[in-house]
Amino acid sequence: MLSTEKTYRQIIRIAAFAGFVLNLILVEPAAAQYNDSTNIGQTNKRSRFHISANGVYAMLETNIRFESQNSILGAKINLEESLGFDKSRIMPMFMATFNIKNRHSLLGIVYSLPRDSYIETEREFEYNGNIIEVGTEINSYYNTNVFSIGYMYDVVRDSKANLGLFVNFYIMTLSSGIQTAGGLIDENFKVTAPLPNFGAMAQYKLSKRIGLSGLFSLFFLTVGDFSGAIHNIGGELDFYLTPWLDLGLGYYLLDLNIEAETSQFVGIFDFIYQGPYLSLGFSF
């Protein structure tokens, strides 16, 4: 099960998002009705496809924790501090929307973040009955691959503003391993986490050439021996260079927690990355 502190944090996030959505529902219907009657011609002229390629300068924090079922024994490893993983990386991320009809769209997100490290131990320690000596070479890796697809409904949609509520499904694969010279340590694991998610995406044109956009989403799920939570938030300043080309500068944060339980131990994986990004978008 997720810790009490983590559960409370997730409940607060859900409550905050519910209030955000309720505010949208109560405030925006009149505007949406007006937009439907006065801007339908402009709405139909909007591009059906939008694809963006993003380069995120990601600042990373990754923790792996293993606990025995009775919580008497446990170990926590910070990959950046303990195993020498980079604390920042340039991460490519691709996003796409496809307008099916009027206010209905599909939303897709793809990104991959392979990471590895090499260190030499600075002190002697014991692992599984074996003595790991000072100066032993340790190689490790931690790879993250994400594919997400979902559905979005536009609460507001006109030539100047767009507000969509979406639900999507993440397929997230995490794989990690650690090996020492001589094979005294050779551990690997891989987990594929299916996580549903819901949120809001907004866009507003300040002028013909400049606009603002952003997204917010969260979800948590507990099924049997598996628990997971994910939320992300992002904001962007957009520059419309041509009717089909745009450039964006923004900031993005993703917070992921996965807990998997077996008969011997509980494994908890916390992964946070955040940082500024540059995007290039195409509409057609």
Side-chain angles (χ1 to χ4, degrees):
M1 297 291 294
L2 289 172
S3 67
T4 302
E5 181 182 355
K6 197 73 174 181
T7 302
Y8 286 159
R9 287 171 55 194
Q10 292 165 348
I11 292 173
I12 292 171
R13 292 167 185 161
I14 291 290
F17 181 71
F20 172 70
V21 173
L22 181 61
N23 179 68
L24 294 177
I25 294 174
L26 293 177
V27 173
E28 297 294 347
Q33 182 178 3
Y34 173 80
N35 291 334
D36 283 340
S37 60
T38 60
N39 293 298
I40 188 169
Q42 292 173 323
T43 299
N44 290 337
K45 294 179 180 179
R46 292 174 65 98
S47 301
R48 296 196 68 184
F49 290 92
H50 184 268
I51 300 174
S52 65
N54 308 272
V56 184
Y57 181 74
M59 292 168 281
L60 306 159
E61 182 179 352
T62 313
N63 294 297
I64 301 177
R65 188 166 75 252
F66 294 96
E67 298 177 354
S68 61
Q69 284 287 359
N70 54 20
S71 297
I72 296 176
L73 300 176
K76 180 179 178 180
I77 300 174
N78 180 283
L79 299 189
E80 290 77 25
E81 297 293 340
S82 301
L83 294 179
F85 278 79
D86 292 338
K87 295 183 178 181
S88 61
R89 287 283 301 273
I90 300 295
M91 185 191 76
M93 180 172 63
F94 301 92
M95 300 181 65
T97 57
F98 169 57
N99 179 238
I100 305 171
K101 184 179 181 181
N102 296 331
R103 296 178 179 270
H104 307 276
S105 301
L106 295 178
L107 171 68
I109 302 173
V110 177
Y111 66 82
S112 178
L113 185 61
R115 305 168 64 195
D116 56 56
S117 74
Y118 166 82
I119 63 170
E120 292 185 358
T121 58
E122 297 180 352
R123 61 182 178 84
E124 182 181 282
F125 65 94
E126 181 179 349
Y127 177 82
N128 199 25
N130 297 307
I131 301 298
I132 309 300
E133 298 180 350
V134 175
T136 300
E137 298 177 355
I138 297 181
N139 297 287
S140 53
Y141 68 91
Y142 188 92
N143 299 330
T144 306
N145 295 285
V146 172
F147 173 77
S148 173
I149 190 168
Y151 164 78
M152 181 166 65
Y153 176 76
D154 292 331
V155 180
V156 176
R157 180 178 173 87
D158 61 32
S159 60
K160 192 171 184 178
N162 190 86
L163 174 64
L165 303 180
F166 66 83
V167 56
N168 61 340
F169 194 77
Y170 278 87
I171 300 296
M172 181 172 295
T173 301
L174 305 176
S175 59
S176 184
I178 181 170
Q179 297 87 30
T180 60
L184 292 179
I185 300 178
D186 189 0
E187 303 288 348
N188 297 273
F189 80 87
K190 183 177 181 179
V191 58
T192 298
L195 294 175
N197 190 42
F198 62 90
M201 182 178 293
Q203 184 179 31
Y204 184 80
K205 282 190 174 183
L206 299 174
S207 68
K208 183 179 179 180
R209 296 293 185 184
I210 300 175
L212 298 173
S213 61
L215 66 86
F216 175 76
S217 68
L218 57 85
F219 203 81
F220 69 94
L221 174 71
T222 300
V223 179
D225 296 330
F226 173 84
S227 300
I230 184 172
H231 79 276
N232 55 30
I233 185 170
E236 183 176 318
L237 177 63
D238 301 306
F239 302 92
Y240 308 111
L241 305 180
T242 71
W244 54 270
L245 180 65
D246 59 88
L247 181 69
L249 296 172
Y251 196 91
Y252 186 75
L253 178 145
L254 175 87
D255 185 358
L256 169 70
N257 174 272
I258 294 177
E259 181 174 315
E261 185 175 327
T262 70
S263 58
Q264 288 80 30
F265 66 89
V266 176
I268 302 171
F269 312 97
D270 284 306
F271 178 38
I272 299 175
Y273 76 76
Q274 59 182 317
Y277 68 87
L278 176 68
S279 73
L280 187 64
F282 302 89
S283 300
F284 53 94

